[in-house]
Amino acid sequence: DGGITQSPKYLFRKEGQNVTLSCEQNLNHDAMYWYRQDPGQGLRLIYYSQIVNDFQKGDIAEGYSVSREKKESFPLTVTSAQKNPTAFYLCASSLGGGYEQFFGPGTRLTVL
Amino acid sequence: EDQVTQSPEALRLQEGESSSLNCSYTVSGLRGLFWYRQDPGKGPEFLFTLYSAGEEKEKERLKATLTKKESFLHITAPKPEDSATYLCAVSDYGNKLVFGAGTILRVKS
């Protein structure tokens, strides 16, 4: 079955630690995205990538980093510079910019 | 700047009580308007894409319509399993979608 997987489902981080969230897709989509969702708020774009080895900052990129070494994979690192990282993180993919996006199941990150 | 406003923020319905959710948007040039359903603790599930004013799409009890300024998601005879947050998003001819904050729908039996 084609789809998007994210791991882990739950992640706990101590203050000062970097953590990496995994996102893999087998839909053969060119574009991939990372969003953050806080209670009562819409989705906010962190980073996106239209092709391998290229990515752009979204609206809230500070304290986050990404890589796109393979078409199928778009990992997100939450660094210690992110001041309020506790949130629900969603990865998505699409055929290209502006097309409908398909989402993974999400990772809930909690800072202890 | 593209903007999406959804109303109401929350809606409570009795089973079988039909209603509509609203998505108002401003965009420089609409490439597509998207509706998603999101259950608690899960990723959004894609429902519909609408491309031009006058277009309609249906899926089971849901029907989405589009005008030049807004979209409606009509829910006919809802059931408790339709309870979810419904998200609207728009795309111009750039690379990103802009999402609204969503409408939380609760259907009671």
Side-chain angles (χ1 to χ4, degrees):
Chain A
D1 286 339
I4 303 174
T5 57
Q6 291 185 242
S7 63
K9 186 172 182 178
Y10 299 98
L11 185 58
F12 298 91
R13 191 194 91 171
K14 293 181 180 178
E15 286 194 18
Q17 282 184 335
N18 293 351
V19 291
T20 298
L21 283 59
S22 170
C23 177
E24 304 275 335
Q25 56 99 358
N26 61 3
L27 299 168
N28 199 31
H29 285 168
D30 287 318
M32 297 187 74
Y33 308 82
W34 275 105
Y35 293 91
R36 170 181 172 138
Q37 188 173 38
D38 294 284
Q41 297 192 29
L43 301 179
R44 293 187 289 169
L45 183 64
I46 304 172
Y47 269 98
Y48 64 102
S49 168
Q50 299 296 307
I51 57 173
V52 174
N53 292 321
D54 188 44
F55 48 83
Q56 288 77 41
K57 293 181 179 180
D59 301 317
I60 56 165
E62 185 175 350
Y64 300 97
S65 65
V66 295
S67 63
R68 186 90 186 272
E69 298 177 359
K70 299 186 300 181
K71 186 175 183 177
E72 302 80 15
S73 178
F74 191 41
L76 173 74
T77 297
V78 184
T79 75
S80 57
Q82 169 49 236
K83 299 193 183 307
N84 185 21
T86 294
F88 189 49
Y89 290 87
L90 289 160
C91 178
S93 71
S94 70
L95 285 172
Y99 288 87
E100 54 267 10
Q101 296 178 9
F102 297 89
F103 286 83
T107 292
R108 186 165 300 279
L109 173 63
T110 302
V111 174
L112 303 174
Chain B
E1 185 177 326
D2 298 348
Q3 282 192 316
V4 176
T5 303
Q6 292 188 245
S7 61
E9 291 184 11
L11 181 63
R12 290 175 179 256
L13 299 173
Q14 286 296 123
E15 185 173 2
E17 179 187 1
S18 301
S19 188
S20 297
L21 312 183
N22 178 264
C23 172
S24 298
Y25 64 90
T26 55
V27 64
S28 54
L30 182 68
R31 188 190 182 287
L33 184 141
F34 311 93
W35 281 99
Y36 291 85
R37 169 194 171 124
Q38 186 176 23
D39 292 304
K42 296 189 177 181
E45 173 190 349
F46 170 73
L47 293 173
F48 305 109
T49 303
L50 302 168
Y51 294 104
S52 58
E55 188 175 1
E56 299 182 352
K57 288 195 176 171
E58 290 188 63
K59 179 180 180 180
E60 296 180 358
R61 295 176 293 282
L62 301 176
K63 183 168 82 171
T65 62
L66 181 64
T67 72
K68 288 186 178 180
K69 293 184 178 181
E70 58 192 349
S71 176
F72 292 94
L73 185 65
H74 306 278
I75 304 175
T76 302
K79 299 182 177 182
E81 53 262 43
D82 294 321
S83 297
T85 296
Y86 290 86
L87 300 171
C88 172
V90 296
S91 167
D92 56 22
Y93 287 87
N95 295 320
K96 301 182 285 185
L97 300 189
V98 175
F99 283 84
T103 293
I104 301 171
L105 174 66
R106 292 289 177 259
V107 182
K108 288 193 169 183
S109 59

